[in-house]
Amino acid sequence: MNPGIETMAFYTPRYYLDLRTLAAHRGADPDKFYLGLGQEKMAVSPPDEDVVTMAAEAARMALEGVDVSSIDTLMFATETGVDQSKAAAIYVHRLLGLSTHCRSFELKQACCSSTAGLQMALALVAQRPHKKVLLVAGDIARYGLGAAGEPTQGAGAVAMVISAEPRVIAFEPEQGSYTEDVMDFWRPNYLEEALVDGKYSIKVYLRALAKSWEHYRQESGRAFTDHDFFCYHLPFTRMAEKAHLHLARLNQLPPDPDRLDREVEPSLLYNRQTGNCYTASLYEGLLSLLETSEGNLAGKRVGLFSYGSGCMASFFSGKILPGYRDAIPLDRGRRLLEDRTELRYEEYENFYEHRLPTDGSAYAIASHQTGAFRLAGVADHKRNYERVEVAAVKAVPPPPQAVPAKKAVVA
Ligand code: COA
């Protein structure tokens, strides 16, 4: 059997902003967000949640029932890194209590580093089948209050246990790759918000899709119709719809009004409720497909397109395995999304504007709803994480005390 995913889990912050609320404050037609972008809600992380706590929580769930002593590598794909030098993976390693013999490092190439990590992990477990890799991907997408990209913001993390004996999906070895030096989306070290040329980014995304698909087609000999479902990188869900119709046209398929509903729609449901999770969004889409589709998907082939601005892209495929329904609790994602607290606009702004001190002073962060881990505070330029009781659902606290915003702070 080809290697693949043994278990996987998704986590998103416990707070969200309805995009109707955002539309009302931006003087926009809510249909532009709901229909034009295909987004309904934006996950918003509270001050004591960052990529480390999100990824650790996703990993905690993914590791349920897994023998952690077999995990010898932890990879963390993110573009919301909390340090320029120390890998966020090392905090996650400690929070999860992994073996000191498990190496841990961070990966970066915009939203595509999770796929680069996946492909590395597949090679590692093929070489050493008795070992497993824990791959986590997580991000907080920030474009700025009032920016064109604001309604596509979001947050979330996915964790996957990559193994030579997968239960969820086995990936096929052929892949199509594409790299081109473009400036469609980037974040210089001194900025907290991404810079984006959104319309150009859509064009480059579609070009990278065409090129990596063609490369994959040549490598694999497979046709479009050899795939039952397609999962795309999801900066917003309408992007996947555009991408799928583009790919169908390139493959000269006759128009089919049910194509999107049949082949793509199940993978969009979670992202529509969370917004963009950058590195995690393709895999959030895969989980959405697996968890929300009716019927048994075992044996179905999924085509996956990963795009990371800047840019690098990859088209690859996998076959869903008979054990997937036992390997992932099928209602976990839906419950997580339903059990969230809606923010008023002012609360969203307060969360968004919250900053950590950058002068090394000690700062304790008020407690909000999180997963099993939270960022308790900072002192001496060091982040302090703690484990918390998740069963206790807390009320929405008053807005956090904002530290005056400064440039060049950690995300
Ligand atoms: N009702 C329904 N649809 C509406 C609408 C309304 N009242 N008003 C606008 N729309 C549609 C537009 O026609 C457009 O759809 P189309 O692309 O199919 O034509 C869509 O809503 C978006 O409108 P647009 O005017 O293009 O939005 P924008 O200029 O505010 O920016 C992005 C859209 C995606 C460029 C912006 O959100 C962005 O920069 N996002 C972040 C970067 C990103 O996601 N890049 C993608 C590749 S990774």
Side-chain angles (χ1 to χ4, degrees):
M1 189 195 296
N2 287 320
I5 299 174
E6 180 178 318
T7 68
M8 66 190 297
F10 166 68
Y11 174 75
T12 189
R14 316 310 308 128
Y15 301 93
Y16 73 89
L17 182 71
D18 194 305
L19 292 188
R20 289 188 211 282
T21 308
L22 184 66
H25 280 81
R26 297 285 175 258
D29 181 347
D31 281 352
K32 174 175 175 182
F33 300 162
Y34 266 61
L35 304 177
L37 296 173
Q39 294 305 117
E40 297 180 1
K41 290 172 182 156
M42 173 205 299
V44 185
S45 46
D48 52 344
E49 186 119 76
D50 65 7
V51 282
V52 169
T53 63
M54 291 195 305
E57 179 63 355
R60 184 186 67 78
M61 292 188 276
L63 289 173
E64 280 167 13
V66 174
D67 170 16
V68 293
S69 67
S70 59
I71 295 185
D72 75 344
T73 305
L74 164 58
M75 297 181 192
F76 191 158
T78 185
E79 49 186 306
T80 321
V82 296
D83 193 289
Q84 288 291 344
S85 182
K86 177 170 174 161
I90 294 180
Y91 295 111
V92 174
H93 177 279
R94 179 177 60 78
L95 291 172
L96 297 173
L98 297 180
S99 156
T100 52
H101 295 303
C102 170
R103 60 194 162 166
S104 306
F105 53 93
E106 192 170 312
L107 300 164
K108 180 172 71 180
Q109 183 5 66
C111 305
C112 201
S113 61
S114 43
T115 299
L118 172 65
Q119 289 162 353
M120 259 192 280
L122 294 171
L124 283 174
V125 299
Q127 195 181 41
R128 285 153 53 84
H130 56 297
K131 294 295 181 190
K132 296 174 186 176
V133 176
L134 175 61
L135 171 62
V136 293
D139 276 299
I140 299 171
R142 289 169 66 94
Y143 292 98
L145 300 176
E150 186 186 26
T152 70
Q153 287 175 172
V158 170
M160 300 172 254
V161 175
I162 309 302
S163 141
E165 291 179 3
R167 297 167 68 204
V168 177
I169 185 168
F171 293 105
E172 293 167 308
E174 302 82 12
Q175 40 183 283
S177 305
Y178 183 70
T179 296
E180 183 187 349
D181 185 0
V182 288
M183 295 302 280
D184 60 330
F185 172 111
W186 67 106
R187 183 164 71 89
N189 287 344
Y190 48 85
L191 290 184
E192 280 183 73
E193 273 102 16
L195 299 172
V196 60
D197 186 342
K199 298 273 162 56
Y200 178 53
S201 186
I202 292 171
K203 274 192 196 140
V204 185
Y205 179 117
L206 294 177
R207 181 159 77 228
L209 169 62
K211 299 279 188 189
S212 53
W213 161 261
E214 188 52 29
H215 188 205
Y216 165 80
R217 201 186 58 74
Q218 284 167 8
E219 294 276 314
S220 69
R222 287 183 205 111
F224 184 101
T225 47
D226 291 328
H227 304 79
D228 301 287
F229 299 101
F230 291 78
C231 291
Y232 293 89
H233 167 55
L234 297 172
F236 50 98
T237 64
R238 273 291 312 288
M239 186 68 236
E241 296 175 358
K242 284 175 195 279
H244 197 55
L245 297 179
H246 184 65
L247 198 60
R249 269 194 304 273
L250 287 176
N251 284 278
Q252 291 156 356
L253 294 177
D256 175 351
D258 298 327
R259 181 180 307 290
L260 286 176
D261 279 351
R262 197 176 56 242
E263 296 169 352
V264 177
E265 179 64 19
S267 68
L268 308 184
L269 302 180
Y270 288 179
N271 187 278
R272 205 169 270 149
Q273 304 299 317
T274 64
N276 197 352
C277 314
Y278 292 164
T279 50
S281 84
L282 171 64
Y283 301 96
E284 176 195 24
L286 176 61
L287 255 182
S288 175
L289 167 69
L290 295 168
E291 292 184 358
T292 67
S293 295
E294 286 174 14
N296 190 344
L297 305 187
K300 303 284 186 198
R301 178 177 282 127
V302 187
L304 299 103
F305 175 65
S306 185
Y307 175 75
S309 290
C311 75
M312 181 190 126
S314 184
F315 198 102
F316 58 109
S317 62
K319 276 199 161 179
I320 300 171
L321 296 168
Y324 83 97
R325 290 164 158 234
D326 299 322
I328 47 175
L330 294 185
D331 63 341
R332 186 161 59 193
R334 184 183 50 77
R335 279 193 283 117
L336 191 69
L337 291 170
E338 281 174 5
D339 182 28
R340 294 187 294 173
T341 300
E342 180 173 357
L343 294 175
R344 288 180 282 114
Y345 177 80
E346 296 71 24
E347 292 171 320
Y348 155 65
E349 245 194 32
N350 278 319
F351 279 2
Y352 189 89
E353 296 282 22
H354 178 265
R355 300 290 187 280
L356 296 172
T358 56
D359 60 1
S361 56
Y363 175 64
I365 306 175
S367 192
H368 302 79
Q369 293 176 54
T370 60
F373 308 99
R374 65 181 291 274
L375 176 62
V378 288
D380 297 330
H381 299 285
K382 296 172 189 162
R383 296 168 96 87
N384 299 315
Y385 293 98
E386 66 182 12
R387 190 161 185 139
V388 290
E389 185 55 61
V390 272
V393 176
K394 301 160 208 158
V396 187
Q401 201 143 36
V403 174
K406 289 180 189 166
K407 286 288 169 201
V409 298
V410 289

